[in-house]
Amino acid sequence: MSTTKKIIPCLDVDNRKVVKGKKFLDVQEVADPLTLAKKYVADGADELVFYDISASTKNRGMFLDLIEEIAKEVPIPFIVGGGIRTLQDVDKVFELGGNKISINSAALTNPELIKEVADKYGSERVMLSMDVRQEGENKWSVYAKGGMEETGIDAIEWAKKMEALGAGELVVNSVDQDGVKDGYDLALNQAMAEAVTIPIIASGGAGKPKHFKDVLTEGQADAALAASVFHFNEINIRDLKNYLAKENIAVRND
């Protein structure tokens, strides 16, 4: 468990533009990925996530040139996800300058991919991302195909299995909260944090600075990921970190 908490902006990219929807629907274009990436680095982001949101659902390759372009400009850890199906895809992302990969759909069809990547590159470069919906009290299920298709897999059990295979971090994305902006799912993140020993990155639901504080304390997350509040300048990363520091939450603020 790291004591310093991280703030991670996420670029959801479709058709070479950053987009944002609500509960994965009504997706609208927001901005140019490179422009936003540079802004977030300047604003003090700890890491940056690039999710090619339609590569898996449309079954096409990743925007490799775009990944390379951003990797060149980003001095902080650059995480790439979406469309990664094989170890060769991972090799390619790392060759282009990506620092970590985030695997979601591919782990559902081939869990061993997590182990292959961890064996070759080390767990610290492998993030397992999962889209989950609440099914009942303290019960969550993993969803596939961009949060559309129920897998019947229990999210907590899946997290444990993926940690055992070598995942070094866990992105827990609440589909119920995605883009809704009324707070992260604290019970979900807390349950995850208690089930595994690897860092938890909370995703889905950020609307105001207090939501970050709540998930990093009560929710026991190690990092908080957000998209639209940063994209639309509703929250500035530097201001957010100053607020968290005042609330006695350790953040990197340089």
Side-chain angles (χ1 to χ4, degrees):
M1 288 284 157
S2 61
T3 46
T4 307
K5 307 288 190 178
K6 292 177 184 171
I7 300 299
I8 306 175
C10 176
L11 305 173
D12 292 316
V13 176
D14 187 13
N15 203 19
R16 312 182 75 83
K17 288 280 185 215
V18 176
V19 296
K20 193 60 203 145
K22 219 180 241 192
K23 298 191 180 183
F24 293 19
L25 303 169
D26 304 324
V27 174
Q28 299 164 332
E29 287 191 2
V30 179
D32 168 64
L34 190 60
T35 309
L36 273 186
K38 288 177 179 172
K39 173 179 159 40
Y40 293 148
V41 169
D43 287 348
D46 294 297
E47 300 189 353
L48 182 68
V49 178
F50 175 104
Y51 271 136
D52 187 334
I53 62 166
S54 58
S56 292
T57 49
K58 291 180 181 167
N59 215 15
R60 60 158 170 77
M62 296 172 281
F63 298 131
L64 296 171
D65 57 325
L66 197 50
I67 291 165
E68 184 173 27
E69 208 181 331
I70 296 171
K72 277 195 185 112
E73 297 287 344
V74 173
I76 56 177
F78 181 45
I79 302 147
V80 176
I84 293 170
R85 300 177 186 89
T86 64
L87 190 57
Q88 288 70 33
D89 292 335
V90 177
D91 294 339
K92 228 176 270 177
V93 167
F94 288 161
E95 276 163 28
L96 296 173
N99 304 101
K100 302 181 190 180
I101 47 109
S102 172
I103 296 176
N104 186 331
S105 308
L108 291 165
T109 49
N110 175 22
E112 286 301 312
L113 179 60
I114 296 288
K115 187 177 184 317
E116 284 176 38
V117 181
D119 286 350
K120 184 168 180 179
Y121 291 105
S123 286
E124 66 282 356
R125 298 186 77 178
V126 189
M127 272 183 177
L128 185 279
S129 174
M130 59 166 90
D131 299 321
V132 304
R133 288 181 189 262
Q134 188 155 7
E135 303 295 342
E137 195 169 345
N138 293 326
K139 179 154 176 52
W140 297 270
S141 282
V142 177
Y143 275 67
K145 304 252 166 30
M148 299 296 160
E149 188 181 283
E150 191 179 352
T151 63
I153 298 168
D154 178 85
I156 303 292
E157 293 310 311
W158 183 241
K160 291 179 185 168
K161 182 179 177 181
M162 292 298 102
E163 178 182 33
L165 281 174
E169 288 177 273
L170 208 52
V171 180
V172 182
N173 191 37
S174 165
V175 180
D176 302 312
Q177 299 302 112
D178 176 69
V180 180
K181 299 187 183 176
D182 57 6
Y184 292 93
D185 186 333
L186 300 183
L188 167 63
N189 284 285
Q190 200 175 4
M192 286 289 177
E194 286 166 5
V196 298
T197 60
I198 54 178
I200 302 292
I201 299 163
S203 169
K208 51 189 187 210
K210 187 179 183 299
H211 295 153
F212 289 86
K213 175 193 157 188
D214 292 345
V215 81
L216 295 170
T217 52
E218 197 188 325
Q220 297 179 26
D222 300 88
L225 181 147
S228 48
V229 286
F230 298 145
H231 300 342
F232 299 118
N233 282 319
E234 289 161 33
I235 296 176
N236 173 278
I237 293 172
R238 181 81 55 206
D239 296 344
L240 172 62
K241 285 185 155 189
N242 290 337
Y243 160 79
L244 292 172
K246 283 198 186 95
E247 296 287 333
N248 297 315
I249 295 167
V251 286
R252 182 184 67 89
N253 223 344
D254 46 40

